[in-house]
Amino acid sequence: MSVTALHQVSPAPQGARLSIDKIGKVFTGPSGGSVKAIDGVTLNVEPGEFLAIVGPSGCGKSTLLQVIAGLMSPSSGAVRLGAQDVTGEPAHMVYLFQQYGKSLLPWMSVAENVMFSFRHRIVMTRSAARARCDEYLAMVGLLDFADHYPWQLSGGMQQRVAIARALAAEPKVLLMDEPFSSVDALTRLDLHALILDLWTAKRFTAVLVTHDVDEAIFLADRVAVLTHRPASISEVIDTNLPRPRLSIETRESPNFLALRHRLLAHLLARPGGAAHDAR
Amino acid sequence: MMRAKDRLIIVAAGCSLPAVFLLGLEFASRNGWVNPTFLPAPSAIFATFAQIILTGAFFAPLVHTLTLLFVGYSIGCIAAISLGVLMGYSRAIYNLFEPLTELIRPIPKPALLPALILFLGLGAPMEITIVALGSFFPVLINTVQGVRAVDPVMIDTARTFGHKSPAVWRRILLPASAPYVLAGMRISLGLALLLVVTSEMLSGNGGLGDAILSAQRSFLVKESYAWLIVLALVGLVLTAIFNWTEKRVAFWQAPQAQ
Ligand SMILES: Nc1ncnc2c1ncn2[C@@H]1O[C@H](COP(=O)(O)OP(=O)(O)OP(=O)(O)O)[C@@H](O)[C@H]1O
Ligand SMILES: [Mg+2]
């Protein structure tokens, strides 16, 4: 994989400012009981910024991201993209699902899956659509698999297709829900480099939800740490690591290790935290 | 090679049972163990069958039956899929229609024939209606189940790319629930064939059902059995066509299950 090929290009940010204002979410069960998943989360994401949100399993990360994406309405608070309130699915925001295997449509070929993200929005000929599709498939190195079906590809390749599809919609904001959690460790490093390449080239605003501290630090400008359920922000840390980031060197740098130490200590120290579960 | 040979043996063994059965009937009939007026020798029935085919006499009743079947089955399936997608997608629509469908669904459909004859007479409208009604319910139930089983991630995927409701129904819910829908359509096909023959027998104006009953009433017993063979072949061919179509429509199902 080309790790640094696209890092040199650095056009002006094209994203839009994302404001998350005192979001709360309470689920009401069928039997009347209720679960408070999110409790007053406030975050601002600058245009073209890469923000990571880390939090323990089940704390409400997916819920928060779905509210931001307009796929779920919040119980309180509001989300704004640029000057507009997010109600329903906004045109410039795309959600990359944790479950890529379910998100790719098995009755569509890889190319059809990619075109599914933009074809209905733009009046364009079939060949123009195919050209745009091929452009994005080439970016993730899967041009040769355009006419395969998703279930004929490996997990890592499927997630690349999902990434190509999300980016082919040319979103201002890309919301990623643990997109790398179900691929093997090496593929994950590969996909990290890929997503950074693409982000550097396209400069969308990126919000990544993960429970992997290393991943968050490696990719993001800032890392927001969530508390246990109900999720609220316990800390936001600037990574301040130089870019371009390099798969091996960046992860071994003293600054990276210091951040890692600080975040892990933070996540493990909390009463009822992961350390408690592990005991 | 081994496997092909094994399969051949199994097929041969499977075919030998009907062969033994037919030989037994032939023997029993020729020796007068059964009344040949009621059960003619298979050889005689086949001769009559050949005559029906060779003279082209089969053509009009066959076209009659297939036309009614096709029209009624299509109407029933299309209506059931449309309503089923809506009922599976929306709780409100489900609650609106569920009492009505649950009222009609358990009635054995042939019991509706007398009422339908009162309203629609003995012709094609009545026959098509009963076939459509019979085909409707299995497809409806399965479509509702199939749509409910669609993973929310798929629907949210379409939503995040800005697909609105009708497109979500057509491009996600319909293909995703296709395996369920097809299973319902398979049940409906059997019911449709049953109902088309029954209603033709009652109507008495054409079709394979009419041919079987009329022949029997005129004491043309061999003809009656010969028409039965035509009907059996129709069922066989329709099932084969259905299997072929199902494999192609839900092509992603088998490889994914592996
Ligand atoms: N649709 C829903 N209805 C009711 N409760 C829900 C729903 N979705 C999530 N929850 C609850 O909200 C809480 C947070 O769930 P969420 O999926 O957001 O966690 P998560 O941080 O993404 O977890 P993971 O790390 O396992 O992906 C959970 O306790 C869950 O039970
Ligand atoms: Mg999650």
Coordinates of all heavy atoms in Angstrom, one line a residue, chain A residues 66 70-71 89 93-95 97 99 102-103 105-108 116-117 120-121 149 151 165-166 169, chain B residues 151-154 156-164 171-173 175-177 251-253 255-256:
Chain A
Q66 N -24.7 8.2 15.5 CA -25.9 8.1 14.7 C -26.8 9.4 14.9 O -27.4 9.8 14.0 CB -26.7 6.9 15.1 CG -26.3 5.7 14.3 CD -26.9 4.4 14.7 OE1 -26.8 4.0 15.9 NE2 -27.6 3.8 13.8
G70 N -27.7 12.2 11.9 CA -29.2 12.5 11.7 C -29.9 11.2 11.4 O -31.1 11.2 10.9
L71 N -29.3 10.0 11.7 CA -30.0 8.8 11.6 C -30.9 8.5 12.7 O -31.8 7.7 12.7 CB -29.0 7.6 11.4 CG -28.2 7.6 10.1 CD1 -27.1 6.6 10.2 CD2 -29.0 7.4 8.9
E89 N -31.4 13.0 7.4 CA -30.0 12.8 7.0 C -29.5 13.9 6.1 O -30.0 14.1 5.0 CB -30.0 11.5 6.2 CG -30.6 10.3 6.8 CD -32.2 10.3 6.7 OE1 -32.7 10.8 5.8 OE2 -32.8 9.7 7.6
M93 N -23.2 14.6 4.8 CA -22.6 13.8 5.9 C -22.8 12.3 5.6 O -23.9 11.9 5.2 CB -23.3 14.2 7.2 CG -22.5 14.0 8.4 SD -22.6 15.2 9.7 CE -24.2 15.5 10.1
V94 N -21.8 11.5 5.7 CA -21.9 10.1 5.4 C -21.4 9.3 6.6 O -20.4 9.6 7.3 CB -21.2 9.7 4.1 CG1 -20.9 8.3 4.1 CG2 -21.9 10.2 2.9
Y95 N -22.1 8.2 6.9 CA -21.9 7.4 8.1 C -21.2 6.1 7.5 O -21.8 5.4 6.7 CB -23.2 7.1 8.8 CG -23.1 6.4 10.1 CD1 -23.3 7.2 11.3 CD2 -22.8 5.1 10.3 CE1 -23.2 6.6 12.5 CE2 -22.8 4.5 11.5 CZ -23.0 5.3 12.7 OH -22.9 4.7 13.9
F97 N -20.3 2.4 8.5 CA -20.8 1.6 9.5 C -19.7 0.6 10.1 O -18.8 0.2 9.3 CB -22.0 0.7 9.0 CG -23.2 1.6 8.9 CD1 -23.5 2.3 7.7 CD2 -24.1 1.7 10.0 CE1 -24.6 3.0 7.6 CE2 -25.2 2.4 9.9 CZ -25.5 3.1 8.7
Q99 N -20.4 -2.4 10.9 CA -20.7 -3.7 10.3 C -20.7 -3.6 8.8 O -21.7 -3.6 8.1 CB -22.1 -4.2 10.7 CG -22.3 -4.1 12.2 CD -23.0 -2.9 12.6 OE1 -22.8 -1.8 12.0 NE2 -23.9 -2.9 13.6
K102 N -22.7 -6.0 6.6 CA -24.1 -5.8 6.5 C -24.4 -4.6 5.7 O -25.5 -4.4 5.1 CB -24.8 -5.7 7.9 CG -24.8 -7.0 8.6 CD -25.3 -6.8 10.0 CE -25.4 -8.1 10.8 NZ -25.5 -7.8 12.2
S103 N -23.5 -3.7 5.7 CA -23.7 -2.4 5.0 C -23.5 -2.4 3.5 O -24.2 -1.7 2.8 CB -22.8 -1.3 5.6 OG -22.9 -0.1 4.9
L105 N -24.4 -4.1 0.0 CA -25.6 -4.8 -0.4 C -25.2 -5.9 -1.3 O -24.5 -5.8 -2.3 CB -26.5 -3.8 -1.1 CG -26.7 -2.5 -0.3 CD1 -27.4 -1.4 -1.1 CD2 -27.5 -2.8 1.0
P106 N -25.5 -7.2 -0.8 CA -25.0 -8.4 -1.5 C -25.5 -8.6 -2.9 O -24.9 -9.3 -3.7 CB -25.4 -9.5 -0.6 CG -26.6 -9.0 0.2 CD -26.4 -7.5 0.3
W107 N -26.6 -7.9 -3.3 CA -27.2 -8.2 -4.6 C -26.6 -7.2 -5.6 O -27.0 -7.2 -6.8 CB -28.7 -8.1 -4.6 CG -29.3 -6.8 -4.0 CD1 -29.5 -5.7 -4.7 CD2 -29.6 -6.6 -2.7 NE1 -30.0 -4.7 -3.8 CE2 -30.1 -5.3 -2.5 CE3 -29.6 -7.4 -1.5 CZ2 -30.5 -4.8 -1.3 CZ3 -30.0 -6.9 -0.3 CH2 -30.5 -5.6 -0.2
M108 N -25.8 -6.3 -5.1 CA -25.1 -5.3 -6.0 C -23.6 -5.6 -6.1 O -23.0 -6.0 -5.1 CB -25.3 -3.9 -5.5 CG -26.7 -3.4 -5.4 SD -26.6 -1.6 -5.0 CE -28.4 -1.3 -4.7
F116 N -24.3 3.5 -5.8 CA -25.4 3.6 -4.9 C -25.3 4.9 -4.0 O -26.3 5.4 -3.6 CB -25.6 2.4 -4.0 CG -26.8 2.3 -3.2 CD1 -28.1 2.2 -3.7 CD2 -26.6 2.5 -1.8 CE1 -29.2 2.1 -2.8 CE2 -27.7 2.4 -0.9 CZ -29.0 2.3 -1.5
S117 N -24.1 5.3 -3.8 CA -23.9 6.5 -2.9 C -24.1 7.8 -3.5 O -24.3 8.8 -2.8 CB -22.5 6.4 -2.2 OG -21.5 6.8 -3.1
H120 N -28.1 8.7 -7.5 CA -29.5 9.2 -7.4 C -29.5 10.7 -7.2 O -30.5 11.3 -7.3 CB -30.2 8.5 -6.3 CG -29.5 8.6 -4.9 ND1 -28.3 8.1 -4.7 CD2 -29.9 9.3 -3.8 CE1 -27.9 8.4 -3.4 NE2 -28.9 9.1 -2.9
R121 N -28.3 11.3 -6.8 CA -28.3 12.7 -6.5 C -28.0 13.6 -7.6 O -28.3 14.8 -7.6 CB -27.3 12.9 -5.4 CG -27.8 12.4 -4.0 CD -27.1 13.3 -3.0 NE -27.8 13.1 -1.7 CZ -27.1 12.7 -0.6 NH1 -25.8 12.5 -0.6 NH2 -27.8 12.6 0.5
Y149 N -18.8 -9.4 -6.5 CA -19.8 -9.1 -5.5 C -19.1 -9.0 -4.1 O -18.0 -9.7 -3.9 CB -20.9 -10.2 -5.5 CG -21.8 -10.0 -6.7 CD1 -21.5 -10.6 -7.9 CD2 -22.9 -9.1 -6.5 CE1 -22.4 -10.4 -9.0 CE2 -23.7 -8.9 -7.6 CZ -23.5 -9.5 -8.8 OH -24.3 -9.3 -9.9
W151 N -19.5 -10.3 -1.3 CA -19.2 -11.5 -0.6 C -18.1 -12.4 -1.2 O -17.8 -13.4 -0.7 CB -20.5 -12.4 -0.4 CG -21.5 -12.2 -1.5 CD1 -22.5 -11.3 -1.6 CD2 -21.5 -13.0 -2.7 NE1 -23.2 -11.5 -2.8 CE2 -22.6 -12.5 -3.5 CE3 -20.8 -14.1 -3.2 CZ2 -23.0 -13.0 -4.7 CZ3 -21.2 -14.6 -4.5 CH2 -22.2 -14.1 -5.2
R165 N -17.1 3.7 -1.2 CA -18.4 4.1 -1.4 C -18.8 5.4 -0.7 O -19.4 6.3 -1.2 CB -19.4 3.0 -1.0 CG -20.8 3.3 -1.2 CD -21.7 2.1 -0.8 NE -21.7 1.8 0.6 CZ -22.4 0.9 1.2 NH1 -23.2 0.1 0.5 NH2 -22.3 0.6 2.5
A166 N -18.3 5.4 0.6 CA -18.6 6.6 1.4 C -18.0 7.8 0.8 O -18.6 8.9 0.7 CB -18.1 6.4 2.9
A169 N -19.5 9.6 -2.4 CA -20.6 10.5 -2.2 C -20.0 11.9 -2.0 O -20.8 12.9 -1.9 CB -21.4 10.1 -1.0
Chain B
D151 N -31.8 -6.2 8.0 CA -30.9 -5.6 9.0 C -31.1 -4.1 8.9 O -31.0 -3.5 7.9 CB -29.5 -6.0 8.7 CG -28.6 -5.8 10.0 OD1 -28.4 -4.6 10.4 OD2 -28.2 -6.8 10.6
P152 N -31.3 -3.4 10.1 CA -31.4 -2.0 10.1 C -30.2 -1.3 9.5 O -30.3 -0.2 9.0 CB -31.5 -1.6 11.6 CG -31.8 -2.9 12.3 CD -31.5 -4.0 11.4
V153 N -29.0 -1.9 9.6 CA -27.8 -1.3 9.0 C -28.0 -1.1 7.5 O -27.6 0.0 7.0 CB -26.6 -2.2 9.3 CG1 -25.4 -1.7 8.5 CG2 -26.2 -2.2 10.8
M154 N -28.7 -2.0 6.8 CA -28.9 -1.8 5.4 C -29.8 -0.6 5.1 O -29.5 0.2 4.2 CB -29.6 -3.1 4.8 CG -28.6 -4.2 4.4 SD -29.5 -5.4 3.6 CE -28.3 -6.7 3.5
D156 N -30.2 2.0 7.1 CA -29.5 3.2 7.5 C -28.4 3.5 6.5 O -28.1 4.7 6.3 CB -28.9 3.0 8.9 CG -29.9 3.2 10.0 OD1 -31.0 3.7 9.7 OD2 -29.6 2.8 11.1
T157 N -27.9 2.5 5.8 CA -26.9 2.7 4.8 C -27.6 3.5 3.6 O -27.0 4.5 3.2 CB -26.4 1.4 4.2 OG1 -25.7 0.7 5.2 CG2 -25.4 1.6 3.0
A158 N -28.8 3.1 3.2 CA -29.5 3.8 2.2 C -29.8 5.2 2.7 O -29.7 6.2 1.9 CB -30.7 3.1 1.8
R159 N -30.2 5.4 3.9 CA -30.6 6.7 4.4 C -29.4 7.6 4.5 O -29.5 8.8 4.2 CB -31.2 6.6 5.8 CG -32.6 5.9 5.8 CD -33.1 5.7 7.2 NE -33.1 7.0 8.0 CZ -33.1 7.0 9.3 NH1 -33.0 6.0 10.0 NH2 -33.2 8.2 9.9
T160 N -28.2 7.1 4.9 CA -27.1 8.0 5.0 C -26.6 8.6 3.7 O -26.0 9.6 3.6 CB -25.9 7.4 5.8 OG1 -25.0 8.4 6.3 CG2 -25.1 6.4 4.9
F161 N -26.9 7.8 2.6 CA -26.6 8.3 1.3 C -27.8 9.1 0.7 O -27.8 9.5 -0.5 CB -26.2 7.2 0.3 CG -24.9 6.5 0.7 CD1 -24.8 5.2 1.0 CD2 -23.8 7.3 0.9 CE1 -23.7 4.6 1.4 CE2 -22.6 6.7 1.3 CZ -22.5 5.3 1.5
G162 N -28.8 9.4 1.5 CA -29.9 10.3 1.1 C -30.9 9.6 0.3 O -31.6 10.3 -0.4
H163 N -31.1 8.3 0.3 CA -32.2 7.7 -0.4 C -33.5 7.8 0.5 O -33.4 7.6 1.7 CB -31.9 6.2 -0.6 CG -30.8 5.9 -1.6 ND1 -31.1 5.8 -2.9 CD2 -29.5 5.7 -1.4 CE1 -29.9 5.6 -3.6 NE2 -29.0 5.5 -2.7
K164 N -34.5 8.3 -0.1 CA -35.8 8.5 0.6 C -36.7 7.3 0.5 O -36.4 6.3 -0.2 CB -36.5 9.7 0.0 CG -35.7 11.0 0.1 CD -35.4 11.4 1.5 CE -34.5 12.7 1.5 NZ -33.6 12.7 2.7
R171 N -35.2 -0.4 -3.4 CA -33.8 -0.8 -3.7 C -33.2 -1.6 -2.5 O -32.2 -2.2 -2.7 CB -33.0 0.4 -3.9 CG -33.5 1.2 -5.2 CD -32.6 2.2 -5.7 NE -31.3 1.5 -6.2 CZ -30.3 2.2 -6.6 NH1 -30.3 3.5 -6.6 NH2 -29.2 1.6 -7.1
I172 N -33.8 -1.5 -1.3 CA -33.3 -2.3 -0.2 C -34.3 -3.3 0.3 O -34.0 -4.5 0.3 CB -33.0 -1.3 1.0 CG1 -32.0 -0.2 0.6 CG2 -32.4 -2.1 2.2 CD1 -30.6 -0.6 0.4
L173 N -35.5 -2.9 0.7 CA -36.4 -3.9 1.4 C -36.8 -5.0 0.4 O -36.8 -6.2 0.8 CB -37.6 -3.2 1.9 CG -37.4 -2.1 2.9 CD1 -38.7 -1.6 3.4 CD2 -36.6 -2.7 4.1
P175 N -35.3 -6.3 -2.5 CA -34.2 -7.3 -2.8 C -33.8 -8.1 -1.5 O -33.6 -9.3 -1.5 CB -33.1 -6.6 -3.4 CG -33.3 -5.1 -3.2 CD -34.8 -5.0 -3.0
A176 N -33.7 -7.3 -0.4 CA -33.2 -8.0 0.9 C -34.2 -9.1 1.3 O -33.8 -10.1 1.9 CB -33.0 -7.0 2.0
S177 N -35.5 -8.8 1.1 CA -36.5 -9.8 1.5 C -36.9 -10.8 0.5 O -37.7 -11.7 0.7 CB -37.7 -9.1 2.1 OG -38.3 -8.3 1.1
F251 N -29.6 -14.8 -6.2 CA -28.3 -15.5 -6.5 C -27.3 -15.3 -5.4 O -26.4 -16.1 -5.2 CB -27.8 -14.9 -7.8 CG -27.4 -13.5 -7.7 CD1 -26.1 -13.1 -7.4 CD2 -28.3 -12.5 -7.9 CE1 -25.8 -11.7 -7.4 CE2 -28.0 -11.1 -7.8 CZ -26.7 -10.8 -7.6
W252 N -27.4 -14.2 -4.6 CA -26.4 -13.9 -3.6 C -26.6 -14.8 -2.3 O -25.8 -14.8 -1.5 CB -26.4 -12.4 -3.2 CG -27.7 -12.1 -2.4 CD1 -27.8 -12.1 -1.1 CD2 -28.9 -11.6 -3.0 NE1 -29.1 -11.7 -0.7 CE2 -29.8 -11.4 -1.9 CE3 -29.4 -11.4 -4.3 CZ2 -31.1 -11.0 -2.0 CZ3 -30.7 -10.9 -4.4 CH2 -31.5 -10.7 -3.3
Q253 N -27.8 -15.4 -2.3 CA -28.2 -16.1 -1.0 C -27.3 -17.3 -0.8 O -26.7 -17.4 0.3 CB -29.6 -16.5 -1.2 CG -30.3 -16.7 0.2 CD -30.2 -15.5 1.1 OE1 -29.9 -14.4 0.6 NE2 -30.5 -15.7 2.3
P255 N -24.2 -18.4 -2.1 CA -22.8 -18.3 -1.8 C -22.5 -17.6 -0.5 O -21.5 -17.8 0.1 CB -22.3 -17.4 -3.0 CG -23.5 -16.9 -3.6 CD -24.6 -17.8 -3.3
Q256 N -23.4 -16.7 -0.1 CA -23.2 -16.0 1.2 C -23.4 -16.9 2.4 O -22.7 -16.7 3.4 CB -24.2 -14.8 1.3 CG -23.5 -13.5 1.5 CD -24.5 -12.5 2.1 OE1 -25.7 -12.8 2.2 NE2 -24.0 -11.4 2.4

